[in-house]
Amino acid sequence: MEESMGMADSGSWARALVWISPYTFAAIGIAISIGVSVLGAAWGIFITGSSLIGAAIKAPRITSKNLISVIFCEAVAIYGVIVAIILQTKLESVPSSKIHEPESLRAGYAIFASGIIVGFANLVCGLCVGIIGSSCALSDAQNSSLFVKILVIEIFGSALGLFGVIVGIIMSAQATWPSKSA
């Protein structure tokens, strides 16, 4: 079987990647999708929340309307949860005789890549929304007419996470496991 896969060197990385179960890669992708998305949301909430609390000392009126920035950051975590659920539904039971077939490997790697893309897109999105939310709170405390203008920029920043979700869902469509029969 070693020669059929074109891997004569028993210590090569290619051999290791082929013989690791595709379920392992799929599970790691799902964990990265949810874990890194939640990390991005938490980081964004930390950035925007600390500025919001500090700016609210000068202008208490900004507290309630600037909570929308925290909600945008929380949406990033929800994107990761949704994609993790979608990726989890892509996992199928395959007989052990077919676990290392090219279809199984492609499915596992597709779920892995989808999870990485969604997780890191949401990490960047959470940071983006957190930084913009921070500047929105600080500028709103100085001049209330700036709130809507910066909020529009924050909405565009939150679209980055949606782009990652869309790409992740499209990539997960490549995850087709081999049929169980024969």
Side-chain angles (χ1 to χ4, degrees):
M1 179 148 192
E2 192 172 290
E3 288 78 21
S4 68
M5 297 187 135
M7 289 171 231
D9 182 17
S10 64
S12 71
W13 282 100
R15 180 181 168 94
L17 291 177
V18 168
W19 286 105
I20 293 174
S21 171
Y23 291 116
T24 302
F25 282 104
I28 291 170
I30 292 167
I32 288 172
S33 171
I34 194 167
V36 178
S37 294
V38 169
L39 177 66
W43 204 348
I45 290 170
F46 171 72
I47 293 169
T48 197
S50 58
S51 295
L52 177 60
I53 297 300
I57 293 171
K58 181 185 184 311
R61 65 177 168 72
I62 70 164
T63 321
S64 58
K65 69 180 177 179
N66 276 283
L67 283 178
I68 195 160
S69 299
V70 175
I71 293 168
F72 279 143
C73 288
E74 187 61 33
V76 170
I78 293 170
Y79 297 157
V81 170
I82 290 169
V83 171
I85 291 169
I86 291 170
L87 295 178
Q88 183 68 33
T89 62
K90 295 285 185 180
L91 288 177
E92 293 180 14
S93 177
V94 176
S96 60
S97 63
K98 294 186 175 189
I99 196 72
H100 295 293
E101 287 190 3
E103 287 178 333
S104 295
L105 295 171
R106 186 181 66 237
Y109 290 142
I111 293 173
F112 176 70
S114 180
I116 286 178
I117 286 173
V118 170
F120 284 99
N122 285 330
L123 175 69
V124 173
C125 178
L127 286 171
C128 176
V129 171
I131 291 168
I132 295 170
S134 171
S135 63
C136 185
L138 295 173
S139 61
D140 187 24
Q142 294 294 321
N143 183 356
S144 62
S145 68
L146 295 174
F147 176 74
V148 175
K149 296 171 185 169
I150 297 177
L151 188 64
V152 170
I153 298 169
E154 191 170 7
I155 291 169
F156 287 131
S158 69
L160 294 173
L162 283 175
F163 296 148
V165 168
I166 291 168
V167 170
I169 290 172
I170 290 170
M171 286 187 67
S172 72
Q174 301 300 315
T176 54
W177 299 89
S179 62
K180 296 177 187 175
S181 62

